[in-house]
Amino acid sequence: MTDYNLIFGAVLLFNVAVTFRASSYYKKYFPSPTDTNKNTSRDETSTEAKSSEELTPLSGENDGRDSFRDNDKEKHDADLERGGDPPVVSTSVNAASDNAANIRHAQLLRKYLIVYLLAALSDWLQGPYVYALYDAYGYSQHEIAVLFVAGFGSSMVFGSFIGGMADQCGRRKFIILFAVIYAMSCMTKHFKSFSILMVGRLLGGVATSLLFSVFEAWLIGAHASAGLMSHLGKAFSTAQYGNSIIAIIAGQIANKAANHAEFKPSAEGSGFYTGGYLGPFDVSLVALIVCGLLASALWEENYGESPAENDDDEKAKSSASGALKKAYYTTISNPDILSCGIISSLF
């Protein structure tokens, strides 16, 4: 029989290698000879310019001519500043500033990814085994459909306003709340009780709304506070690529966890079950606990913009009903947003 794990692993490694080769990290750690020569030439030019500035004019008979040369040089420099190439020294300063910004962004991105990818891992672990678990409990297709619709409905209802609540109360707090709520949803899966499973689906819907809104809002706010908005696109692309890698890894982990132990009640006649398809939910529970702890330890709190106290129009827009109306009109009036929403809904 074909070893699909080996095939998936080989394809994954190839994908990572190609992505790394196409990224800016490859140029950073493996610069080409052309880039090295450019950097060396720029450093030498900068050193020569700095040395020429340190030279002092000769005093004596040539003071008048030196003064004329100095005036001519100042005029030439002024012309360069108005329309010519920028001074070499300012280029060096800009390069140093860019390097400092890159370092700050790398630190911010590491803090974000370690928490976000754990949250994504917890979600990917559960997905393939929700239906299988309900089926193993012996529920009919109609009952399973009711449970799924309840989860989707919960996400739809809470997703319409929970993002605004996070903006007002603190996004980090709601990310920790996400970990708690999703962990509780995982724990309900151990009970063969339709009502308890229904509560778990409702909690899962709330957690899903938080997962796909508050994390990105925190990332945008953190970039804005650090003055790194120009790096935001790179942060999102890295997070989404990491999410795709985590999805593959989660599938492998979940498969191992589901086959690790037998699915059975903890005691004869008990409604509490362990093993089998519950394994992925237990692993997800651990990932959520670590996710919440790391978010509380590594992330700073940030909030959404609040309207001025005397700005009644902005206050009306920031209210729950005002925000929904604004979102509706924005969606209808923007074809790109409308198309994206329709595609996501149909998917």
Side-chain angles (χ1 to χ4, degrees):
M1 183 176 178
T2 306
D3 189 354
Y4 289 102
N5 290 334
L6 181 61
I7 295 175
F8 285 142
V11 172
L12 178 60
L13 289 176
F14 176 76
N15 183 277
V16 171
V18 171
T19 304
F20 176 74
R21 178 63 182 84
S23 68
S24 59
Y25 292 104
Y26 182 84
K27 294 181 180 179
K28 177 181 177 181
Y29 294 108
F30 303 99
S32 63
T34 305
D35 295 335
T36 304
N37 292 335
K38 287 182 179 179
N39 293 333
T40 304
S41 177
R42 184 164 56 245
D43 293 340
E44 290 176 352
T45 306
S46 176
T47 303
E48 291 175 1
K50 197 171 182 181
S51 300
S52 63
E53 289 178 356
E54 294 175 354
L55 293 176
T56 57
L58 294 174
S59 60
E61 298 178 356
N62 296 329
D63 284 347
R65 283 178 292 177
D66 290 340
S67 177
F68 175 79
R69 291 194 195 99
D70 291 341
N71 293 335
D72 187 60
K73 182 178 181 299
E74 289 176 1
K75 181 179 178 182
H76 179 66
D77 291 343
D79 291 339
L80 287 177
E81 290 179 4
R82 282 195 297 268
D85 296 330
V88 178
V89 177
S90 64
T91 303
S92 302
V93 173
N94 290 336
S97 178
D98 291 341
N99 289 334
N102 290 335
I103 292 173
R104 296 202 316 275
H105 179 254
Q107 294 172 345
L108 174 60
L109 190 58
R110 280 195 295 269
K111 289 195 300 183
Y112 175 74
L113 288 179
I114 193 172
V115 176
Y116 169 72
L117 293 181
L118 278 172
L121 174 65
S122 69
D123 188 58
W124 285 116
L125 285 167
Q126 301 180 43
Y129 294 95
V130 177
Y131 184 93
L133 178 63
Y134 294 156
D135 184 66
Y137 277 138
Y139 291 109
S140 65
Q141 287 190 353
H142 173 73
E143 292 171 320
I144 295 174
V146 170
L147 289 170
F148 270 89
V149 170
F152 297 143
S154 172
S155 180
M156 178 189 70
V157 172
F158 285 95
S160 61
F161 62 85
I162 201 165
M165 293 176 61
D167 290 343
Q168 295 179 3
C169 301
R171 291 158 179 163
R172 187 186 69 165
K173 293 186 183 71
F174 271 69
I175 287 168
I176 297 172
L177 182 63
F178 153 82
V180 173
I181 291 176
Y182 220 2
M184 293 172 61
S185 175
C186 291
M187 289 188 287
T188 61
K189 299 296 189 292
H190 283 271
F191 295 90
K192 187 183 178 180
S193 169
F194 190 84
S195 58
I196 294 178
L197 291 175
M198 177 63 75
V199 171
R201 285 298 297 171
L202 295 175
L203 292 174
V206 177
T208 302
S209 298
L210 290 169
L211 175 61
F212 294 107
S213 60
V214 182
F215 282 84
E216 295 177 353
W218 184 93
L219 182 63
I220 295 172
H223 275 72
S225 300
L228 298 170
M229 290 301 291
S230 60
H231 294 73
L232 187 59
K234 181 180 179 181
F236 275 122
S237 63
T238 304
Q240 290 307 310
Y241 182 75
N243 187 27
S244 63
I245 299 298
I246 285 294
I248 299 172
I249 296 174
Q252 300 298 314
I253 296 175
N255 182 59
K256 297 293 183 182
N259 295 311
H260 179 68
E262 181 185 358
F263 180 70
K264 61 182 181 180
S266 58
E268 188 67 27
S270 172
F272 185 86
Y273 280 69
T274 58
Y277 295 132
L278 289 167
F281 295 94
D282 293 336
V283 178
S284 178
L285 176 62
V286 175
L288 288 164
I289 293 173
V290 178
C291 172
L293 292 175
L294 289 177
S296 63
L298 298 178
W299 286 16
E300 300 82 16
E301 188 62 274
N302 67 37
Y303 302 86
E305 294 183 359
S306 58
E309 295 182 1
N310 57 353
D311 196 338
D312 295 333
D313 184 56
E314 288 298 323
K315 284 186 177 181
K317 290 181 180 179
S318 64
S319 64
S321 59
L324 288 175
K325 290 179 181 178
K326 182 181 178 182
Y328 172 76
Y329 288 120
T330 301
T331 302
I332 296 300
S333 60
N334 192 315
D336 293 337
I337 297 177
L338 181 60
S339 301
C340 183
I342 293 174
I343 292 171
S344 300
S345 301
L346 294 176
F347 177 80

